[in-house]
Amino acid sequence: MPLPPPITATPLPYEALLASRALTDVDLVVIHCTELPDLATAREYGERVLYDAGTGNSGHYYIDRDGSILQYVALDRVAHHVRGINPRSIGIELVNRGRFPDWFDSRNQHMSEPYTEAQIAALVRLLQWLPEELPSLQWIAGHEQLDTARMPASDDASVEVPRKLDPGPLFPWQDVLKAIPQQPLPL
């Protein structure tokens, strides 16, 4: 039985307003990157209230570049991290610039920041432990696999760009999949 990795609980102010769910309802992990410059900015974005219910967008766990893991939302709460999949999934956000600050500029559709070894090691350890808490957990997917919507580019509305690209081409899928019990979600 894997031991839990060191996790710092830092609940979002609206966590209690998020829908509750049974832990047995969760069968999918979605890997994201923050597409923001640092953890502090990711926290600011997570605290923004965007919905009438008084909640916003966030993942359950955030892994900083140094490998530290913070939990913003309890596993028995539904976080808003990917359209249409939230009730059955947990979101893990890796701090990474992604396309920041011009997410939808057609000239900026590449992700050049590699993930750190400490981040990937922390992610693997978290993914190895999560089945202890989530008995139905069996699948893993990237955000870009689940949200394939396209939208007009911010610099040229006649060009469409992907809404989501994370975790992106620099995420080491093969290494992660070799080390964890979850399998790629059949799409």
Side-chain angles (χ1 to χ4, degrees):
M1 174 180 324
L3 295 173
I7 298 170
T8 303
T10 55
L12 290 169
Y14 56 74
E15 181 188 48
L17 301 175
L18 294 166
S20 63
R21 64 179 174 194
L23 295 180
T24 54
D25 292 344
V26 181
D27 68 351
L28 171 65
V29 173
V30 181
I31 306 298
H32 302 264
C33 84
T34 59
E35 291 207 80
L36 295 167
D38 53 41
L39 184 62
T41 305
R43 180 66 185 207
E44 290 172 24
Y45 271 73
E47 289 182 355
R48 292 180 182 178
V49 173
L50 304 172
Y51 306 112
D52 290 341
T55 64
N57 292 331
S58 73
H60 291 83
Y61 295 100
Y62 285 69
I63 303 177
D64 207 351
R65 292 175 178 96
D66 67 359
S68 59
I69 304 171
L70 290 90
Q71 185 171 9
Y72 286 5
V73 176
L75 293 174
D76 63 354
R77 297 288 175 168
V78 178
H80 301 287
H81 61 97
V82 63
R83 295 181 194 185
I85 310 290
N86 296 320
R88 68 179 277 209
S89 68
I90 64 162
I92 299 176
E93 297 270 359
L94 302 171
V95 175
N96 185 290
R97 292 185 67 83
R99 301 173 289 174
F100 179 83
D102 300 311
W103 301 285
F104 305 119
D105 187 311
S106 66
R107 300 162 296 186
N108 187 44
Q109 294 303 299
H110 61 280
M111 299 170 84
S112 59
E113 181 183 354
Y115 294 95
T116 69
E117 287 183 27
Q119 272 181 314
I120 300 306
L123 173 65
V124 165
R125 190 166 173 200
L126 180 62
L127 291 170
Q128 290 171 337
W129 169 75
L130 279 171
E132 299 297 320
E133 299 295 305
L134 303 167
S136 300
L137 190 64
Q138 59 181 328
W139 307 112
I140 187 169
H143 195 184
E144 79 252 346
Q145 295 170 285
L146 301 171
D147 186 343
T148 59
R150 298 183 66 79
M151 57 187 299
S154 58
D155 63 308
D156 182 350
S158 69
V159 174
E160 286 192 342
V161 296
R163 197 175 98 75
K164 297 297 178 186
L165 282 178
D166 59 307
L170 298 179
F171 182 76
W173 277 110
Q174 287 185 330
D175 295 338
V176 171
L177 290 173
K178 280 187 225 172
I180 63 169
Q182 298 86 10
Q183 297 297 309
L185 184 68
L187 299 171

